[in-house]
Amino acid sequence: MSGALKNLRVLDITHVLAGPYCTYQLALLGADVTKIEPPHAPDCARERGPDDALNAQGLGLNYQVQGGNKRALAVDLSTPEGAKILRDLALNADILVENYTTGALAVMGLGPCDLRALNPQLIYCSLTGYGDTGPLAQTGAYDNVIQAGSGIIDQSDGHKPAVSFVDYTAGLSAAFAILAAVNQRNMTGEGCTISVSMLEVAMNLMAPEAAAAQHATHTVRAKEAGITAYDTKQGKLMLGVFTPAQYRRLGSVLTNLQQPIPALSSINNWSDVWACAEQLNRDLAAVFAGRTCEEWITVLRANDLPCDRIKPLSEAVDSAQLRARGYFTGSPDDPSVTLPLSPFHMSQGGPALTKAPPRHGQDSEAVLAEAGRSATDIQHLRDIGVIR
């Protein structure tokens, strides 16, 4: 394994989406990530996805999209033997990531205070719905519940966005915090405890709106006409005209097409944008209905005005832009399974998928042998059901 993080050892006690996505980002950059699951209750994401055959093998696509480059250890942490295994592994680990209910691992003597007492350099990161303090600290949550309670759904006209973007942003936030902690440890020699709250991640995603909602002069503005979707003769166009200068440029474009909207040329500041929003929205709707979406995209992009057609996901994933960037790649074990990489490139040490997502408990023996367990001891642990 190579990559910018190849010197880091990560214990991954996470499941579903946010936690596994965090550790996947670290694994793509070369970190040695060991995914730890109970022997009789593997990550439920293993059984989720569109392919029933893969689901039955514990290799559902919901798991595979964030399972590559990891090793898999199946151990029952609720047993004294299993807890000791984690303590032993933590002695030589750099990072531990978990997304169980606040306090669940501490009850087993595996909380941050317990493990950091053994290894003060350990960075212990917890991802939870609401963080590790406050009245909801021990309350469970999923992405959709956070979208509801954070105001995201209300901000989306009462509709829940049909993607788990809070989960994935929480994973990225955790990865960012972990790397900040690694740099801090390089300076101080000490690890730390990190608490990532999905609720606070959701608020972060709405920072302007959240700040405005608390401001003394908060008012509800009319929807800005330049960042709205419009029906065309064929297809639906999402316009990205945001600044006053872009509004004026759009006015010039439409004038050149003999479809002038005079109000556009008079927009000089944000107050002008909001003042004419409702009428301008109606005028633009009438203009855009006269040509096809592709015709508008050609004209608008030629004038550096952002826009695109609203596309189905099945079409969007096959875009020439994503192919040129190499964002998707085939699984090392099965090229027919397409998996995502990181959303960035690096000139050196960047993300790469070199190892297929492991099966449940696939590397238990190898991980324990590296930790100093004998073959006899490993077999005994398997016989009593502590490992798989």
Side-chain angles (χ1 to χ4, degrees), residues 72-335:
L73 165 64
V75 58
D76 187 350
L77 299 178
S78 69
T79 65
E81 298 89 347
K84 185 177 187 313
I85 287 172
L86 186 63
R87 292 190 191 98
D88 290 344
L89 293 174
L91 285 171
N92 295 309
D94 295 288
I95 300 155
L96 183 148
V97 187
E98 62 93 7
N99 64 344
Y100 283 77
T101 301
T102 297
L105 289 177
V107 169
M108 296 183 269
L110 302 173
C113 294
D114 306 298
L115 297 187
R116 292 198 60 246
L118 297 173
N119 177 5
Q121 292 190 319
L122 182 68
I123 294 164
Y124 192 114
C125 179
S126 299
L127 291 90
T128 57
Y130 302 99
D132 62 351
T133 55
L136 295 178
Q138 293 183 309
T139 302
Y142 287 112
D143 181 288
N144 63 321
V145 174
I146 296 295
Q147 287 193 35
S150 66
I152 284 177
I153 291 176
D154 182 67
Q155 283 292 120
S156 304
D157 298 326
H159 301 290
K160 177 195 171 295
V163 289
S164 300
F165 63 91
V166 176
D167 265 326
Y168 285 112
T169 310
L172 287 174
S173 298
F176 178 80
I178 286 167
L179 295 183
V182 169
N183 187 62
Q184 177 176 260
R185 187 181 65 183
N186 291 340
M187 296 184 287
T188 67
E190 290 275 331
C192 69
T193 301
I194 298 168
S195 170
V196 178
S197 157
M198 289 174 62
L199 176 62
E200 289 160 51
V201 167
M203 289 298 168
N204 234 30
L205 292 169
M206 301 183 293
E209 293 81 6
Q214 300 174 80
H215 198 272
T217 59
H218 174 59
T219 57
V220 178
R221 305 253 188 212
K223 184 179 293 186
E224 293 176 38
I227 51 174
T228 303
Y230 295 96
D231 289 316
T232 70
K233 189 177 287 186
Q234 185 178 57
K236 194 153 191 154
L237 176 77
M238 178 59 75
L239 186 63
V241 169
F242 182 63
T243 68
Q246 288 174 324
Y247 276 95
R248 293 195 299 273
R249 195 182 319 143
L250 176 60
S252 296
V253 170
L254 296 183
T255 297
N256 291 337
L257 294 174
Q258 283 75 53
Q259 294 181 292
I261 298 179
L264 288 169
S265 61
S266 303
I267 293 177
N268 295 303
N269 53 51
W270 293 109
S271 295
D272 294 338
V273 170
W274 295 319
C276 67
E278 292 184 9
Q279 181 60 50
L280 186 55
N281 193 41
R282 290 190 288 269
D283 291 343
L284 287 173
V287 168
F288 286 128
R291 298 170 187 254
T292 69
C293 197
E294 295 304 323
E295 288 173 322
W296 281 118
I297 289 172
T298 299
V299 170
L300 295 172
R301 287 183 176 172
N303 288 274
D304 195 26
L305 293 171
C307 62
D308 209 339
R309 177 168 52 85
I310 294 180
K311 302 171 184 175
L313 181 59
S314 57
E315 180 182 345
V317 297
D318 194 36
S319 79
Q321 179 63 26
L322 290 175
R323 288 197 300 274
R325 294 279 293 173
Y327 175 70
F328 290 111
T329 186
S331 169
D333 281 3
D334 183 357

